[in-house]
Amino acid sequence: MTRRFLIIGLLLCITSFTGWAGDDLLIKKPSESASKGLEDGLKKGKLYIGGDGRTSFAFNQTVKFGGFRIGWEAFDRHRFGISFHELKEPIEISVELDPFTQPGLKRIYFDYEYFCLFYEPIFYTSNRLQLSAPVHWGRGTLSRSYKDALGRLHEYDSGVSKMAEISFAAEYRLLRWLSLGTGVGYRFQRRSTAVERKALNAPMVALHFHFLMKELWNMAFHKEKLEPWK
């Protein structure tokens, strides 16, 4: 699944870059029905890609998700896009699978990878700082495994699990082409067992960085189009 995510991400990047390759063909001939405000907002839109991590706690363990996102910022007020995440290490828990056929606690391992669509309204903007309230909706694969005598993991079950996430985030534009951000929020897991929800439904801390692709493009090929940097 991770390989499919990477392929989708690369295709989205290539599609977005074609809007700039031909001297900013993205909005070359605006239609008569388009308002000037809409034209200006889209012209100033920002494609960005970057890392997007999550950290939370479950069963006395630190649960870390690695990931990346591809998004678009329009009008300096809205961000939207797609992100991809997966657990860095499986979550280890003790459960009683069946009190009759398999009595006693068993050690099992949950692994989860998912993709999200997100919308991020920006409610404060200054020269370099932005405050926003991201909302994510997604689905992915939740798998269960056990370890053999040699310590090797063997998957014995998997299924689709949906999730949602709400958070509050702050982002600081460190360089013309790079921004760093953090946030806090809560992740909700749906269509999972009670144990899985306990493992994955949790407060979380987010850390991310964004490369502003249009700035990098203009720095390399259209320096005359760079806006003043404060």
Side-chain angles (χ1 to χ4, degrees):
M1 178 175 288
T2 302
R3 185 176 299 174
R4 293 202 302 269
F5 290 168
L6 290 172
I7 292 173
I8 293 171
L10 288 172
L11 289 175
L12 288 173
C13 286
I14 292 171
T15 302
S16 299
F17 269 121
T18 59
W20 299 325
D23 192 21
D24 290 334
L25 294 177
L26 185 63
I27 303 180
K28 198 67 174 180
K29 296 180 180 179
S31 64
E32 294 180 359
S33 61
S35 67
K36 186 178 185 301
L38 179 60
E39 295 168 14
D40 292 342
L42 292 175
K43 285 180 180 179
K44 295 180 180 179
K46 304 179 183 73
L47 171 71
Y48 61 88
I49 63 174
D52 190 14
R54 302 282 189 274
T55 300
S56 57
F57 300 92
F59 299 101
N60 298 318
Q61 301 172 60
T62 301
V63 179
K64 294 184 178 182
F65 284 88
F68 72 95
R69 62 160 58 182
I70 304 168
W72 184 265
E73 181 181 315
F75 306 101
D76 294 323
R77 286 290 180 269
H78 308 278
R79 290 195 197 102
F80 48 88
I82 188 168
S83 62
F84 312 91
H85 306 268
E86 64 179 354
L87 278 170
K88 291 187 175 181
E89 295 290 340
I91 302 173
E92 179 181 356
I93 61 174
S94 298
V95 297
E96 188 172 46
L97 299 178
D98 190 319
F100 300 102
T101 62
Q102 301 183 60
L105 295 177
K106 308 294 182 183
R107 305 296 288 179
I108 63 173
Y109 300 82
F110 291 123
D111 204 357
Y112 187 48
E113 57 182 20
Y114 63 96
F115 72 94
C116 288
L117 299 176
F118 67 86
Y119 170 64
E120 188 172 349
I122 302 168
F123 57 84
Y124 173 80
T125 300
S126 67
N127 286 339
R128 296 202 183 191
L129 179 66
Q130 290 182 329
L131 301 179
S132 59
V135 181
H136 292 70
W137 304 270
R139 61 183 293 163
T141 302
L142 180 63
S143 61
R144 308 161 188 86
S145 305
Y146 67 91
K147 279 187 178 180
D148 62 20
L150 298 177
R152 295 173 299 192
L153 283 174
H154 298 273
E155 183 179 314
Y156 68 88
D157 190 22
S158 65
V160 174
S161 180
K162 297 182 179 180
M163 58 76 63
E165 184 181 281
I166 56 175
S167 60
F168 170 82
E171 182 165 319
Y172 183 77
R173 193 166 173 181
L174 184 64
L175 301 171
R176 176 188 290 275
W177 51 272
L178 174 67
S179 62
L180 306 177
T182 186
V184 294
Y186 197 92
R187 180 178 54 250
F188 302 89
Q189 203 71 24
R190 300 178 55 207
R191 296 190 178 181
S192 305
T193 66
V195 173
E196 292 162 347
R197 287 194 298 271
K198 187 176 180 180
L200 296 171
N201 285 17
M204 61 85 189
V205 176
L207 295 172
H208 64 258
F209 62 89
H210 293 155
F211 296 114
L212 305 178
M213 304 308 293
K214 191 170 185 179
E215 294 291 341
L216 289 171
W217 179 267
N218 286 339
M219 288 171 66
F221 302 105
H222 299 288
K223 292 184 179 180
E224 72 280 1
K225 295 183 179 180
L226 291 173
E227 296 180 357
W229 172 244
K230 298 179 181 180

